[in-house]
Amino acid sequence: MGKRALGDISSRCSVSGERLDEYVNKLSAMINCKTVWREDNLNKAEYERLYSQIEILFPRLTASARRLTFGDGAFVYVIEGKNATKNIMLMSHHDVVDGGDGWETDPFTATQKGDFLYGRGTIDTKTPLFAELQAIEELLEEGYDFEGISLYIGSSNNEEVCGNGMPLAVEYFKQNNIHFDVVLDEGGAITQGQIPGVACKSAVVAVHEKSRHIFKCTANADIKGHGGFGAVSEVTVERLSRFIAEVNDKKNKIYKGVFYPEVRATFERHVEYMSFPMNVLFGNIGVFAPIIKKIMMGIPAASAMLSTGVSFTTVKAGDENMPQIRAKSAQATMFLRCIREDDLYNGLEKINEIAKKYGVTIDEISRDYCKPTDFNGEAFKTIENILHKDFPDVAVVPFLLTAGTDARWFTDVADNILRFAPIDLDKEQFGTIHNANEHIGIKNIGECVVFYKDYIKAI
């Protein structure tokens, strides 16, 4: 395949200065609401303020769409188009992490500094939510009839804490037999410097994300009578500890590195933009795969793209108020994040064999698996074409998201799940996600609105 000529940044989509001022004011009103989720609900007033702002800022959407609410505030707007044969879901959560230390501005007072807007949520993810809502507001103003589609705009109030907002919405969709052709959530972005040897910017569209499986590992002992006469083999803490150590033995890894299709595609589709020698290395990935895998498996962030991760997150045994008594039971929580479930369960067979050696039983507590989306399919190609149009200076590639999004809950009610928001991040901005001084380029705010308008029209 020949190299696609990339344009320069000046050829991107744009909006007028007057429109940008309007966008900044609207987004600022949303940023100024401190929607940090708390179990005690003490921030409820801030959430209610955001919901009121949305009604004021987007009056046509408020008047035209049906609004569904789930749990303590997750919402879904529904616009039923003419002759609808497709259901499309756009998503971005409206809760944010707390401010933290190190800010140069008040994290919950949107502040313009030069060409950037600072504030918590400017990247993750109130800008995408604003842009989705604004895109629909403008389309309604223009008389767009949403022919052939029913459009859903979903936003969770507690995504950052793996809350129940979107899971409750998905239960509603299941009960009402609502199935989605495409779900587009946040997760990917426009980045630079993330792939070795690539100088251009890349729009990385996640077609899959790692799942979450939680298991309870238990070592029991039948200790009778005086604890001092118990057999050494009945020390539950020691047996559980040896089990954990063997599972985590780096010399005998249970889960080996695998170039899954979406991971391989990330590199292969970047080859034409890579400098030497990376273009040769990844251009012949079948030949050099063993070398590449060995290098990547030694880098934590890279190894997460190739294999199931295993971690023991909690350990509990005995009574701390009676430390002289040996524990009759010791438990550990084992957290596995997989890319493919068949690989996970194949490895789990080996883990169970180790468990038998130490008298440990393993029980699955929860399963959270999301199926991958075909990056050669129509859903991916649609977003790829829009990105080539609106952001001609960037490469467009599929990738695996090693973090998590609300989109994973939709695997049983959606044909295609994609994770991308057109946020343009340099290295400094990327480092402010969940950190101090989160900020977005003001011009990029307008680009986000144009992208979602074009995407809605294309589907």
Side-chain angles (χ1 to χ4, degrees):
M1 181 175 67
K3 184 172 182 178
R4 188 181 74 86
L6 295 178
D8 57 46
I9 196 168
S10 64
S11 60
R12 286 189 184 185
C13 59
S14 61
V15 299
S16 68
E18 184 178 352
R19 271 292 197 187
L20 273 180
D21 289 341
E22 175 193 348
Y23 293 169
V24 168
N25 289 335
K26 285 187 172 183
L27 176 57
S28 295
M30 296 171 67
I31 298 296
N32 294 345
C33 301
K34 189 177 180 179
T35 50
V36 177
W37 175 255
R38 290 181 55 140
E39 291 290 344
D40 56 20
N41 226 11
L42 286 179
N43 280 343
K44 183 178 181 179
E46 293 293 321
Y47 277 89
E48 293 298 331
R49 187 156 71 98
L50 174 66
Y51 304 146
S52 296
Q53 285 292 332
I54 289 174
E55 291 185 1
I56 294 168
L57 297 172
F58 310 103
R60 291 178 181 82
L61 171 68
T62 301
S64 302
R66 182 161 51 98
R67 189 181 191 274
L68 307 173
T69 304
F70 303 96
D72 294 322
F75 64 79
V76 176
Y77 282 103
V78 186
I79 297 179
E80 296 176 354
K82 296 180 180 178
N83 304 313
T85 59
K86 292 182 179 180
N87 292 322
I88 306 297
M89 170 70 81
L90 304 181
M91 293 171 58
S92 283
H93 60 88
H94 57 274
D95 64 317
V96 296
V97 297
D98 212 340
D101 299 326
W103 282 79
E104 297 172 3
T105 64
D106 182 341
F108 296 102
T109 301
T111 305
Q112 186 171 342
K113 295 175 62 177
D115 295 330
F116 296 92
L117 184 69
Y118 284 71
R120 179 62 83 217
T122 48
I123 296 173
D124 187 15
T125 56
K126 285 183 177 176
T127 294
L129 176 59
F130 154 76
E132 291 165 0
L133 298 173
Q134 181 65 27
I136 296 161
E137 184 76 7
E138 292 181 17
L139 288 172
L140 289 169
E141 182 181 8
E142 295 164 10
Y144 188 75
D145 60 10
F146 298 90
E147 176 73 29
I149 67 167
S150 286
L151 185 64
Y152 294 70
I153 307 92
S155 185
S156 173
N157 57 320
N158 51 16
E159 187 269 356
E160 294 288 5
V161 294
C162 299
N164 66 349
M166 275 303 131
L168 288 172
V170 169
E171 284 303 311
Y172 169 85
F173 298 137
K174 288 180 179 179
Q175 292 168 8
N176 289 273
N177 297 315
I178 298 171
H179 195 86
F180 296 93
D181 294 80
V182 183
V183 171
L184 177 60
D185 197 3
E186 52 98 14
I190 298 172
T191 63
Q192 190 170 22
Q194 303 298 311
I195 305 296
V198 177
C200 70
K201 292 191 173 185
S202 302
V204 289
V205 182
V207 295
H208 190 30
E209 66 180 77
K210 296 187 78 170
S211 72
R212 298 164 170 80
H213 293 248
I214 300 176
F215 298 84
K216 180 174 69 174
C217 307
T218 307
N220 289 319
D222 185 18
I223 300 176
K224 298 178 181 178
H226 194 289
F229 300 119
V232 174
S233 62
E234 293 299 316
V235 179
T236 56
V237 175
E238 182 178 303
R239 287 193 282 114
L240 185 64
S241 298
R242 288 183 176 180
F243 160 74
I244 293 172
E246 187 164 342
V247 170
N248 282 331
D249 186 357
K250 293 182 180 180
K251 294 181 180 179
N252 297 292
K253 283 184 175 290
I254 293 170
Y255 293 101
K256 314 294 183 183
V258 176
F259 271 113
Y260 296 92
E262 57 272 25
V263 177
R264 185 166 182 152
T266 300
F267 294 101
E268 288 183 331
R269 296 196 181 187
H270 269 115
V271 167
E272 56 186 327
Y273 308 108
M274 286 180 176
S275 58
F276 180 82
M278 293 299 179
N279 59 343
V280 175
L281 191 66
F282 287 104
N284 297 278
I285 200 167
V287 176
F288 294 109
I291 298 173
I292 298 172
K293 281 196 294 186
K294 185 175 181 180
I295 294 171
M296 291 182 67
M297 289 300 288
I299 306 171
S303 66
M305 299 170 64
L306 301 182
S307 69
T308 295
V310 184
S311 59
F312 290 89
T313 54
T314 65
V315 178
K316 181 180 180 181
D319 184 347
E320 62 181 9
N321 295 315
M322 302 190 71
Q324 71 275 22
I325 297 179
R326 286 182 295 174
K328 292 185 178 181
S329 179
Q331 295 181 347
T333 302
M334 183 172 64
F335 182 43
L336 279 77
R337 298 206 62 200
C338 76
I339 302 169
R340 295 290 191 275
E341 271 198 330
D342 54 351
D343 291 345
L344 179 141
Y345 287 115
N346 286 337
L348 194 62
E349 291 181 9
K350 298 177 183 178
I351 293 175
N352 273 304
E353 290 174 5
I354 296 171
K356 289 177 183 177
K357 289 170 54 177
Y358 301 104
V360 173
T361 59
I362 299 177
D363 299 295
E364 189 169 55
I365 298 175
S366 65
R367 168 187 176 271
D368 174 9
Y369 181 69
C370 185
K371 295 177 292 188
T373 291
D374 181 9
F375 52 82
N376 291 311
E378 181 182 348
F380 184 88
K381 289 180 180 178
T382 297
I383 197 171
E384 182 179 34
N385 290 336
I386 298 301
L387 285 166
H388 284 327
K389 172 183 174 292
D390 292 344
F391 299 89
D393 58 310
V394 309
V396 182
V397 300
F399 90 117
L400 167 73
L401 183 65
T402 55
T405 70
D406 268 334
R408 70 186 186 276
W409 303 112
F410 284 75
T411 194
D412 293 330
V413 294
D415 294 330
N416 300 279
I417 301 174
L418 301 171
R419 303 152 189 85
F420 176 82
I423 304 290
D424 190 348
L425 306 176
D426 59 26
K427 287 185 178 180
E428 180 185 354
Q429 287 172 288
F430 191 85
T432 65
I433 300 173
H434 286 202
N435 285 315
N437 300 317
E438 183 179 347
H439 62 285
I440 188 172
I442 289 173
K443 184 175 183 293
N444 187 217
I445 299 171
E447 293 168 343
C448 289
V449 177
V450 173
F451 167 84
Y452 285 113
K453 287 181 71 174
D454 286 347
Y455 182 74
I456 293 168
K457 291 177 181 179
I459 53 180

